Amino acid sequence: MFALRSATASVLVAVLFAIACTATPDGGPPPSPQPTGPASPSASSPTPSNSPGSSTEAMAESFKTRWPIKHVVFLIKENRTFDHLFGTFPGANGVSFGMDNGTRRPLTRGTDQRAHDIPHCYQCSISAWDGGKMDGFNQTIYADRWAYTQLHKDQLPNYWHWAQHNVLADNFFSSAQGPSFPNHLYAIAAQSGGAHDNPRRIPGITHGSNTFGCDAPRTQKVQIVTPDGGSRYVPPCFNFKTEGDLLNRRSIPWAFYAATEDQKGYIWSAYSALRRYRENQQNWNQHMFPVDDVVKDIKADTLPPVTWITPRFELSEHPEYNFCYGENWSTQVIDAIMNSPMWKNTAIFVTWDDYGGFYDHVPPPQVDGFGFGLRVPLLVISPYAKEGVVDHHLGEFSSVLRFIEDNWHLTQLTHRDRKATDLGYDFNWKQQPRPPDPLPLRTDCKGPIYSPPPPDPPAP
């Protein structure tokens, strides 16, 4: 392993700067509008315009791994609970009814898209959890209308198909009670830096900000818990260790694909909240890449051993945007992997970052002062994934990090990934690797892709 460090690093540096790709993939989405908020206090804005490198398959296979997996892809979508997506999945711990302040009510059929978000802040999540009663989701008129809804098999056919033929985890939780910011940090670091909630956007001052990171306006801060149990507001810019740093220590290449600064969805570019990446152009350009390029880069066989992918906002399945188009985007990514040389030794983990205000009936275990958060689905897709298995083991986002750590012989980051199981039980390493199973894109998507729908009609 260590004999390869110098040669691997030299090859990597050469290929990282050999390609500058700014065009979107064929058939890719148009650019999002420019943000309208105040300018960042930082004068520089090093938008990534590179790609991970030339063909990396031989390089990926050169690293010693515990299992036959040479590539991990961690794909994180937005704002759905297990009951909302897979509550009717055969053999899974799902329900089609929920509790609303002690009253049972059905989970009605959901829709692909709606005009309004529903509460899913930290305190909103605590109220929904209600000490384990799981009956406090009805917090606004929009929550009353949408929180107790559920999608069915015909509304997520590709996810459902891959769940039937791979592994679906039904005891998997978001890492933190609350919304995106802390959970995306857990997905790269097994901690949130003490943050329970998203950085504050002050109406009229920072509401138009398009970032949750070090490049945020000076007045946009996040509340963190201090070691003495108090709290304070700080810039959303941290220095804690991440999974990427563990990989760097072993000279194992990695990449994080996300929306760029001028695209909606940049708030999920988690490394923007790590000072040594966001404020170091070389580190940023070495590891951060435009998500519009991800399918092209997969087809070019340039993904490194470990890759995180977060989508454009419009394709994230955040409920204001069309779920059908979001599932199609995920299908394009997964199909590209399945049709590439990397499929033969890849593990794809697909999850949703937080509950998004939707109902779920399983009380999340509270293992520390931050979570777990509410239950979300996890799909494990791989030629080595067990076929048609519903996984009932306890897990959270740190479990995916533990899989990476154990596979590439890394250390751990925090008590979360030290205590997490590594998801190895979702694979059968002795089975004949399954052939790829790419799926066609859905043709039943309706409505706009890049703009939210019109306001809801009056309730009947």
PDB file of all heavy atoms in Angstrom, residues 75 110 144 164 212 374 382-383 392-393 409 440 452:
ATOM      1  N   LEU A  75     -24.759   8.730  -2.629  1.00  0.00           N
ATOM      2  CA  LEU A  75     -25.691   9.636  -3.316  1.00  0.00           C
ATOM      3  C   LEU A  75     -26.759  10.074  -2.323  1.00  0.00           C
ATOM      4  O   LEU A  75     -27.498   9.241  -1.781  1.00  0.00           O
ATOM      5  CB  LEU A  75     -26.322   8.913  -4.503  1.00  0.00           C
ATOM      6  CG  LEU A  75     -27.418   9.625  -5.297  1.00  0.00           C
ATOM      7  CD1 LEU A  75     -26.920  10.946  -5.863  1.00  0.00           C
ATOM      8  CD2 LEU A  75     -27.928   8.724  -6.415  1.00  0.00           C
ATOM      9  N   GLY A 110     -49.532  10.692  -1.915  1.00  0.00           N
ATOM     10  CA  GLY A 110     -48.815  11.928  -2.137  1.00  0.00           C
ATOM     11  C   GLY A 110     -48.787  12.330  -3.594  1.00  0.00           C
ATOM     12  O   GLY A 110     -49.288  11.625  -4.478  1.00  0.00           O
ATOM     13  N   ASP A 144     -50.373  20.024   7.861  1.00  0.00           N
ATOM     14  CA  ASP A 144     -51.633  19.300   7.995  1.00  0.00           C
ATOM     15  C   ASP A 144     -52.041  18.673   6.675  1.00  0.00           C
ATOM     16  O   ASP A 144     -52.592  17.568   6.622  1.00  0.00           O
ATOM     17  CB  ASP A 144     -52.716  20.273   8.485  1.00  0.00           C
ATOM     18  CG  ASP A 144     -54.054  19.580   8.708  1.00  0.00           C
ATOM     19  OD1 ASP A 144     -54.072  18.502   9.324  1.00  0.00           O
ATOM     20  OD2 ASP A 144     -55.075  20.114   8.233  1.00  0.00           O
ATOM     21  N   GLN A 164     -36.209  -3.883  -4.654  1.00  0.00           N
ATOM     22  CA  GLN A 164     -36.624  -5.285  -4.773  1.00  0.00           C
ATOM     23  C   GLN A 164     -35.463  -6.201  -5.140  1.00  0.00           C
ATOM     24  O   GLN A 164     -35.465  -7.382  -4.775  1.00  0.00           O
ATOM     25  CB  GLN A 164     -37.718  -5.414  -5.827  1.00  0.00           C
ATOM     26  CG  GLN A 164     -39.071  -4.874  -5.415  1.00  0.00           C
ATOM     27  CD  GLN A 164     -40.090  -5.000  -6.529  1.00  0.00           C
ATOM     28  OE1 GLN A 164     -39.800  -4.666  -7.688  1.00  0.00           O
ATOM     29  NE2 GLN A 164     -41.275  -5.469  -6.201  1.00  0.00           N
ATOM     30  N   PHE A 212     -24.304  27.620   2.678  1.00  0.00           N
ATOM     31  CA  PHE A 212     -24.291  27.338   4.111  1.00  0.00           C
ATOM     32  C   PHE A 212     -22.843  27.187   4.590  1.00  0.00           C
ATOM     33  O   PHE A 212     -22.568  26.471   5.542  1.00  0.00           O
ATOM     34  CB  PHE A 212     -25.038  26.039   4.417  1.00  0.00           C
ATOM     35  CG  PHE A 212     -26.543  26.143   4.402  1.00  0.00           C
ATOM     36  CD1 PHE A 212     -27.313  24.991   4.409  1.00  0.00           C
ATOM     37  CD2 PHE A 212     -27.188  27.361   4.403  1.00  0.00           C
ATOM     38  CE1 PHE A 212     -28.703  25.056   4.406  1.00  0.00           C
ATOM     39  CE2 PHE A 212     -28.581  27.445   4.388  1.00  0.00           C
ATOM     40  CZ  PHE A 212     -29.337  26.279   4.390  1.00  0.00           C
ATOM     41  N   LEU A 374     -34.881  11.501  12.331  1.00  0.00           N
ATOM     42  CA  LEU A 374     -35.960  10.619  11.901  1.00  0.00           C
ATOM     43  C   LEU A 374     -35.499   9.660  10.809  1.00  0.00           C
ATOM     44  O   LEU A 374     -34.525   9.910  10.110  1.00  0.00           O
ATOM     45  CB  LEU A 374     -37.167  11.430  11.436  1.00  0.00           C
ATOM     46  CG  LEU A 374     -38.138  11.815  12.584  1.00  0.00           C
ATOM     47  CD1 LEU A 374     -37.517  12.824  13.529  1.00  0.00           C
ATOM     48  CD2 LEU A 374     -39.444  12.350  12.033  1.00  0.00           C
ATOM     49  N   SER A 382     -25.337  -2.875  -5.629  1.00  0.00           N
ATOM     50  CA  SER A 382     -23.989  -3.342  -5.951  1.00  0.00           C
ATOM     51  C   SER A 382     -24.075  -4.718  -6.588  1.00  0.00           C
ATOM     52  O   SER A 382     -25.034  -5.454  -6.353  1.00  0.00           O
ATOM     53  CB  SER A 382     -23.154  -3.431  -4.662  1.00  0.00           C
ATOM     54  OG  SER A 382     -21.895  -4.054  -4.890  1.00  0.00           O
ATOM     55  N   PRO A 383     -23.090  -5.105  -7.377  1.00  0.00           N
ATOM     56  CA  PRO A 383     -23.065  -6.487  -7.869  1.00  0.00           C
ATOM     57  C   PRO A 383     -22.941  -7.503  -6.743  1.00  0.00           C
ATOM     58  O   PRO A 383     -23.262  -8.672  -6.911  1.00  0.00           O
ATOM     59  CB  PRO A 383     -21.842  -6.533  -8.784  1.00  0.00           C
ATOM     60  CG  PRO A 383     -21.180  -5.237  -8.719  1.00  0.00           C
ATOM     61  CD  PRO A 383     -21.994  -4.296  -7.918  1.00  0.00           C
ATOM     62  N   HIS A 392     -32.825  -4.950   8.532  1.00  0.00           N
ATOM     63  CA  HIS A 392     -33.407  -4.414   9.763  1.00  0.00           C
ATOM     64  C   HIS A 392     -32.348  -3.951  10.762  1.00  0.00           C
ATOM     65  O   HIS A 392     -32.695  -3.562  11.883  1.00  0.00           O
ATOM     66  CB  HIS A 392     -34.300  -5.464  10.427  1.00  0.00           C
ATOM     67  CG  HIS A 392     -35.377  -6.011   9.539  1.00  0.00           C
ATOM     68  ND1 HIS A 392     -36.328  -5.219   8.930  1.00  0.00           N
ATOM     69  CD2 HIS A 392     -35.659  -7.283   9.160  1.00  0.00           C
ATOM     70  CE1 HIS A 392     -37.150  -5.979   8.212  1.00  0.00           C
ATOM     71  NE2 HIS A 392     -36.759  -7.231   8.334  1.00  0.00           N
ATOM     72  N   HIS A 393     -31.069  -3.985  10.388  1.00  0.00           N
ATOM     73  CA  HIS A 393     -30.025  -3.534  11.303  1.00  0.00           C
ATOM     74  C   HIS A 393     -30.106  -2.024  11.521  1.00  0.00           C
ATOM     75  O   HIS A 393     -30.479  -1.269  10.622  1.00  0.00           O
ATOM     76  CB  HIS A 393     -28.636  -3.861  10.749  1.00  0.00           C
ATOM     77  CG  HIS A 393     -28.330  -5.312  10.657  1.00  0.00           C
ATOM     78  ND1 HIS A 393     -28.662  -6.076   9.557  1.00  0.00           N
ATOM     79  CD2 HIS A 393     -27.704  -6.148  11.522  1.00  0.00           C
ATOM     80  CE1 HIS A 393     -28.249  -7.318   9.746  1.00  0.00           C
ATOM     81  NE2 HIS A 393     -27.670  -7.392  10.930  1.00  0.00           N
ATOM     82  N   HIS A 409      -9.234   0.483   5.244  1.00  0.00           N
ATOM     83  CA  HIS A 409      -8.345   0.367   6.397  1.00  0.00           C
ATOM     84  C   HIS A 409      -7.985   1.739   6.970  1.00  0.00           C
ATOM     85  O   HIS A 409      -6.814   2.052   7.221  1.00  0.00           O
ATOM     86  CB  HIS A 409      -7.072  -0.406   6.006  1.00  0.00           C
ATOM     87  CG  HIS A 409      -7.342  -1.702   5.308  1.00  0.00           C
ATOM     88  ND1 HIS A 409      -7.830  -2.820   5.967  1.00  0.00           N
ATOM     89  CD2 HIS A 409      -7.234  -2.063   4.007  1.00  0.00           C
ATOM     90  CE1 HIS A 409      -7.986  -3.804   5.105  1.00  0.00           C
ATOM     91  NE2 HIS A 409      -7.642  -3.370   3.895  1.00  0.00           N
ATOM     92  N   PRO A 440     -34.821   2.224 -17.716  1.00  0.00           N
ATOM     93  CA  PRO A 440     -35.174   3.371 -18.563  1.00  0.00           C
ATOM     94  C   PRO A 440     -35.670   4.534 -17.723  1.00  0.00           C
ATOM     95  O   PRO A 440     -36.173   4.352 -16.604  1.00  0.00           O
ATOM     96  CB  PRO A 440     -36.291   2.810 -19.457  1.00  0.00           C
ATOM     97  CG  PRO A 440     -36.898   1.704 -18.646  1.00  0.00           C
ATOM     98  CD  PRO A 440     -35.763   1.096 -17.866  1.00  0.00           C
ATOM     99  N   PRO A 452     -40.559  25.935  -9.279  1.00  0.00           N
ATOM    100  CA  PRO A 452     -41.577  25.280  -8.435  1.00  0.00           C
ATOM    101  C   PRO A 452     -42.962  25.468  -9.031  1.00  0.00           C
ATOM    102  O   PRO A 452     -43.183  26.334  -9.880  1.00  0.00           O
ATOM    103  CB  PRO A 452     -41.441  26.009  -7.100  1.00  0.00           C
ATOM    104  CG  PRO A 452     -40.812  27.304  -7.429  1.00  0.00           C
ATOM    105  CD  PRO A 452     -39.931  27.075  -8.613  1.00  0.00           C
TER     106      PRO A 452
END
